[in-house]
Amino acid sequence: MQNYHNFYRKNDPVSPLGVDRLVEMLSLEGAEMELLLEEAGRCRSAVVGDGVYLRGLIEYSNICRKDCHYCGIRRSSSIACRYTLTEGEVLECARYAFEKNYGSIVIQGGENRSEDHISAIVRLVGKIKELTGGRLGITLSLGEQTGDTYRRWFEAGAHRYLLRIETSNERLYKSIHPCDPLHDFASRLRALEDLRNTGYQVGTGVMIGLPGQSMEDLARDLMYMHDLDIDMCGMGPYVESEGTPLAASRLPRLPLGKRYDLSLKMVASLRLLMPDINIAATTAMQAIYPEGRLHALRAGANVIMPNITPGKYRESYFLYDNKPLSFDSNIIEKNIRYGEWGDPLRFSRRSGNR
Ligand code: SAM
Ligand code: SF4
């Protein structure tokens, strides 16, 4: 068994981990897997500390122009209720997060490029800044937009953006999206570059256990995130959403339990590969196992996104089966860093703030 702690002590000037080694790490089972997870937990403690940062998740709208084969709110889904929160509802959520001392919020939703939507977000971000005296951090996760839109939202006061690459393997990407210009792999890569050039703290991530995905694909996903020099990552297991083309396909797939273990190993390996970034313990982990997010924290994650969407909308943002509607944070209470933005150390270092 490799002694992994050598990796993070080098503080990652040039990562010593390559695809072959990562495949080995992702293939560990049983006691060896546990050692990897523990090592990543120690790496997290040593480099970014034991603090857990909260981002209140606001599921802003389930209206989407895209038709991703895996997603429960895709354009073709026959969802009973398509909704967009009103300005008042979003401000109420922001006020709640602020009063609960969460430090940050995430506004997430389907991809919508209409001017109405774009300017609504500009207004919302400005009003949240005003409401909280600029003290509540704002992350957006609203899909691929033009560089100009990203700039408008950034200038309004959003400072982080999450856009998953979903998979860095172009062939696999094509197999889980419709084949049309709206779902173009090169555009996805360009959007991530635009976000970085605009000045955002950039987060990306992948789905783990997609039909047709190999261990080498996942190792290459980790290297992709490393090479993009991301600040944040949110990744988790692919979970079937009934009625979607990917759920219905006959492609071979891993059982949920294996996807779960693989997700923990991905979190741990990324922590060792990029010790100073922020890594979210994602909701999809909890969809498979009730303590999923807690396990991800132990394996090196340091961010939790409790859902603060008004209750009546939660069932309409149904991305995949068994999606949990809430998270009990009592169990990690002592480690929660209330009132802090919790910017990724990597971003601060890159910007010369430390
Ligand atoms: N529309 C934006 C976008 O796609 O970037 C943000 C919202 S989208 C619902 C957020 C993430 O949900 C996607 O990046 C995708 O990885 C994840 N997701 C969608 N369907 C999923 C599924 N069946 N299993 C796991 N994750 C899923
Ligand atoms: Fe829309 Fe995002 Fe779902 Fe794709 S993953 S269908 S872009 S909400």
Side-chain angles (χ1 to χ4, degrees):
M1 169 76 185
Q2 188 72 42
N3 185 4
Y4 291 106
H5 73 264
N6 288 334
F7 294 122
Y8 72 84
R9 294 242 167 96
K10 289 182 184 152
N11 213 8
D12 190 38
V14 175
S15 169
L17 289 175
V19 171
D20 291 349
R21 180 72 60 79
L22 289 166
V23 168
E24 257 173 57
M25 287 159 69
L26 296 176
S27 309
L28 296 174
E29 304 273 356
E32 290 207 312
M33 166 177 151
E34 289 309 319
L35 283 178
L36 169 68
L37 305 187
E38 282 168 20
E39 189 58 39
R42 279 197 292 277
C43 171
R44 195 262 333 277
S45 304
V47 180
V48 295
D50 286 327
V52 175
Y53 299 99
L54 299 181
R55 283 74 172 102
L57 175 66
I58 304 171
E59 293 166 337
Y60 174 63
S61 173
N62 66 359
I63 297 174
C64 189
R65 68 184 192 135
K66 283 203 171 154
D67 226 5
C68 308
H69 288 333
Y70 42 84
C71 178
I73 62 169
R74 62 200 293 269
R75 191 182 59 219
S76 307
S77 272
S78 49
I79 301 176
C81 161
R82 293 276 176 183
Y83 74 89
T84 300
L85 299 190
T86 64
E87 186 172 294
E89 285 170 331
V90 178
L91 293 180
E92 209 33 62
C93 294
R95 191 194 313 275
Y96 173 86
F98 189 56
E99 284 171 3
K100 288 262 173 190
N101 223 357
Y102 275 12
S104 276
I105 52 166
V106 180
I107 300 177
Q108 191 191 73
E111 191 173 297
N112 182 344
R113 286 194 173 195
S114 72
E115 179 51 36
D116 279 358
H117 170 75
I118 293 166
S119 47
I121 298 295
V122 170
R123 268 197 314 279
L124 271 174
V125 171
K127 290 201 169 170
I128 294 168
K129 287 275 148 193
E130 214 177 284
L131 182 74
T132 63
R135 280 179 288 156
L136 192 65
I138 304 179
T139 307
L140 298 179
S141 179
L142 298 164
E144 283 169 47
Q145 301 286 343
T146 64
D148 184 55
T149 300
Y150 286 149
R151 185 189 49 73
R152 285 172 66 190
W153 290 347
F154 185 74
E155 286 173 357
H159 62 126
R160 303 185 181 120
Y161 204 101
L162 300 174
L163 181 70
R164 288 186 178 181
I165 185 69
E166 313 296 0
T167 167
S168 63
N169 177 333
E170 185 170 0
R171 181 195 46 77
L172 184 59
Y173 189 93
K174 285 186 170 151
S175 79
I176 60 170
H177 293 100
C179 184
D180 63 26
L182 214 56
H183 301 82
D184 178 42
F185 184 67
S187 309
R188 194 82 171 175
L189 297 177
R190 218 170 20 249
L192 281 159
E193 260 174 48
D194 286 346
L195 287 166
R196 166 54 51 76
N197 293 336
T198 309
Y200 285 98
Q201 295 171 21
V202 178
T204 192
V206 295
M207 281 180 288
I208 298 155
L210 287 165
Q213 188 177 43
S214 70
M215 214 66 105
E216 192 179 325
D217 288 332
L218 288 168
R220 289 191 188 283
D221 288 341
L222 294 171
M223 289 313 295
Y224 166 80
M225 293 190 251
H226 179 268
D227 294 347
L228 191 65
D229 195 19
I230 58 165
D231 303 299
M232 311 170 296
C233 176
M235 60 182 169
Y238 160 66
V239 183
E240 279 78 3
S241 174
E242 204 187 322
T244 57
L246 198 57
S249 92
R250 289 167 175 254
L251 287 171
R253 59 198 68 206
L254 290 173
L256 283 177
K258 291 263 182 218
R259 289 181 224 173
Y260 182 82
D261 283 355
L262 205 42
S263 301
L264 289 176
K265 287 183 272 188
M266 283 288 280
V267 167
S269 303
L270 185 64
R271 174 58 70 195
L272 295 170
L273 185 64
M274 304 186 75
D276 55 1
I277 64 170
N278 280 350
I279 303 179
T282 56
T283 317
M285 299 294 292
Q286 197 184 326
I288 298 185
Y289 193 76
E291 297 201 321
R293 287 198 260 189
L294 193 61
H295 291 170
L297 290 174
R298 288 204 191 115
N302 66 333
V303 168
I304 289 272
M305 293 160 49
N307 195 340
I308 58 169
T309 311
K312 64 177 175 179
Y313 296 112
R314 292 198 191 175
E315 294 200 344
S316 301
Y317 201 84
F318 202 69
L319 303 182
Y320 42 77
D321 301 348
N322 204 24
K323 179 172 171 267
L325 300 179
S326 64
F327 171 71
D328 176 7
S329 60
N330 286 330
I331 201 155
I332 52 160
E333 184 65 29
K334 75 177 173 31
N335 290 334
I336 294 180
R337 297 289 178 265
Y338 283 105
E340 292 182 34
W341 275 21
D343 281 339
L345 205 55
R346 194 174 197 93
F347 182 81
S348 311
R349 284 178 174 155
R350 191 181 322 103
S351 338
N353 296 347
R354 273 166 203 257

